[in-house]
Amino acid sequence: HQCIMVTEKKRQILRETISAVEKKLKGKNEFIRCHRSYLINLGYVAAVLRQEVVLDNDERIPLSRRLGKEVYQAFIQNYK
């Protein structure tokens, strides 16, 4: 029941579930869940591929089949 939050400058361990963190970020449109283990900030997404999300720093995050369409649509909306 902990999460690792990764920012540009540091990694921080949170003593919360990913669902609790997701609820806290619910009002912030730039955050979306792309996999059961990952929340991402759409402002740092370079591309959404079939099975993964590519971030600006070339890190690749898994993309679930169930959430793929929602993530892609959110990426397009955020990109505009």
Side-chain angles (χ1 to χ4, degrees), residues 8-49:
E8 290 179 354
K9 298 179 181 172
K10 65 180 179 176
R11 288 178 173 259
Q12 182 177 353
I13 295 176
L14 305 174
R15 297 208 177 268
E16 298 181 71
T17 64
I18 193 166
S19 296
V21 174
E22 183 178 24
K23 283 181 185 177
K24 286 183 179 181
L25 296 172
K26 193 70 167 177
K28 307 206 185 285
N29 292 334
E30 64 270 12
F31 287 93
I32 192 166
R33 195 169 199 153
C34 64
H35 184 274
R36 72 182 207 162
S37 301
Y38 294 91
L39 287 170
I40 56 171
N41 183 329
L42 290 167
Y44 293 93
V45 174
V48 177
L49 305 177

